[in-house]
């Protein structure tokens, strides 16, 4: 059989494409459906549990990540914007209208906030010198003692492994929930119990990193970016650091 000339093949391909584009009835033509996994990393063709496993492995193996969004725990909503890696993290946390910065370098944790935050934490009583103390802490990195209960509560926001282990969990029976897009990146979405157990968008491009998580029970929505992008973590200068004492205000 003689080969079809190149020009004829091109015209035929163009004709098929035009027919597919113009098809508006319910009748499907063989070859018109585009494979949504074409040119991807292939995880979209895997079973949901395997997709979840691949995404967890990718997250655990990454040197760094940026995490932003909301987390609801014990009835309290936290808005996070954190950059994390194995030896620490930095970023901001907002809760009940108050925003504070966190920085952890190794085992040393620092909290940074304005005078209003510290005044509120101290009860805002000017008679006991609370306002004066808050002024001294304004914009400074306050070292959080490791024996302080606040250390355990806040250091978790700066620990990549602890935070991801606690967040990247879907509940119930897993299923795929279609192909989607997150910030211009194609994703495959998996869900727990048809969405009531949370949903997770996993990248179909390059490494199958988690890109977006909707937690079960309305417990927050998070996005994950800058996977593997290193950043500097340095202790603040002594002049920018204040040692609050043995314990931060309990509130």
């Amino acid at each position: 059989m003689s080969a079809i000339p190149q020009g004829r093949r091109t015209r035929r391909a163009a004709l098929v494409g035009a027919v597919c584009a113009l098809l508006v009835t319910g009748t499907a033509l063989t070859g018109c459906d585009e494979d949504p996994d074409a040119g991807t990393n292939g995880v979209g063709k895997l079973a949901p549990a395997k997709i979840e496993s691949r995404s967890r492995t990718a997250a655990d193996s990454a040197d760094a990540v940026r995490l932003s969004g909301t987390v609801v725990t014990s009835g309290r909503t936290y808005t996070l914007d954190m950059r994390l890696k194995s030896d620490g993290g930095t970023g901001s946390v907002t809760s009940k209208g108050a925003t504070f910065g966190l920085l952890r370098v190794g085992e040393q944790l620092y909290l940074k906030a304005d005078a209003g935050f510290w005044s509120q934490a101290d009860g805002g009583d000017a008679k006991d010198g609370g306002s004066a103390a808050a002024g001294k802490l304004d914009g400074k990195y306050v070292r959080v003692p490791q024996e302080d209960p606040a250390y355990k509560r806040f250091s978790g926001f700066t620990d990549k492994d602890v935070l991801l282990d606690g967040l990247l969990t879907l509940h119930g029976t897993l299923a795929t929930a279609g192909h989607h897009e997150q910030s211009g990146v194609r994703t495959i979405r998996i869900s727990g119990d048809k969405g009531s157990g949370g949903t997770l968008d996993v990248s179909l491009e390059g490494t199958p990193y988690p890109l977006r998580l909707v937690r079960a029970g309305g417990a927050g929505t998070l996005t994950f970016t800058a996977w593997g992008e290193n950043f500097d973590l340095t202790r603040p200068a002594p002049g920018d650091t204040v040692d609050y004492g043995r314990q931060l205000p309990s509130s």
Side-chain angles (χ1 to χ4, degrees):
M1 180 181 295
S2 59
I4 300 174
Q6 177 65 34
R8 188 179 300 173
R9 287 200 303 267
T10 301
R11 288 193 297 272
R12 179 176 296 178
L15 178 60
V16 171
V19 171
C20 289
L22 293 173
L23 183 64
V24 293
T25 68
T27 304
L29 290 183
T30 302
C32 289
D33 294 335
E34 182 181 352
D35 181 0
D37 292 301
T40 71
N41 55 25
V43 297
K45 298 180 179 181
L46 301 178
K50 195 68 173 180
I51 297 173
E52 182 184 44
S53 176
R54 290 280 183 90
S55 69
R56 288 297 300 266
T57 298
D60 291 342
S61 301
D63 294 330
V65 64
R66 182 173 184 174
L67 178 155
S68 56
T70 58
V71 173
V72 181
T73 179
S74 300
R76 189 166 184 171
T77 299
Y78 297 90
T79 300
L80 310 179
D81 187 1
M82 301 295 301
R83 297 200 69 177
L84 309 169
K85 57 183 182 178
S86 59
D87 58 346
T90 183
S92 65
V93 179
T94 300
S95 181
K96 293 187 176 180
T99 299
F100 54 93
L102 290 174
L103 169 66
R104 183 175 64 84
V105 184
E107 297 299 318
Q108 191 60 68
L109 177 66
Y110 302 90
L111 191 154
K112 184 178 182 179
D114 60 18
F117 174 90
W118 292 111
S119 179
Q120 182 181 16
D122 260 334
D125 190 351
K127 294 181 180 180
D128 64 1
S131 295
K136 293 179 181 179
L137 300 176
D138 183 23
K140 297 289 187 179
Y141 286 95
V142 177
R143 187 183 67 83
V144 182
Q146 291 191 36
E147 62 272 17
D148 191 318
Y151 183 93
K152 182 178 181 180
R153 184 166 67 251
F154 292 143
S155 64
F157 288 129
T158 67
D159 192 310
K160 172 180 174 287
D161 294 336
V162 169
L163 202 55
L164 293 184
D165 284 347
L167 293 174
L168 289 177
T169 301
L170 298 178
H171 302 277
T173 302
L174 297 182
T176 54
H179 290 73
H180 299 269
E181 186 177 289
Q182 178 65 30
S183 300
V185 178
R186 289 182 293 172
T187 66
I188 182 68
R189 181 173 297 171
I190 55 176
S191 65
D193 280 349
K194 299 181 179 180
S196 63
T199 66
L200 179 67
D201 279 43
V202 178
S203 176
L204 286 174
E205 302 178 17
T207 305
Y209 290 123
L211 297 185
R212 183 175 185 269
L213 171 72
V214 178
R215 302 183 71 207
T221 299
L222 293 160
T223 59
F224 306 90
T225 58
W227 285 105
E229 296 181 13
N230 193 25
F231 60 95
D232 291 332
L233 275 177
T234 56
R235 294 177 185 270
D240 293 329
T241 306
V242 175
D243 193 336
Y244 193 94
R246 297 181 61 184
Q247 187 168 323
L248 300 182
S250 60
S251 59

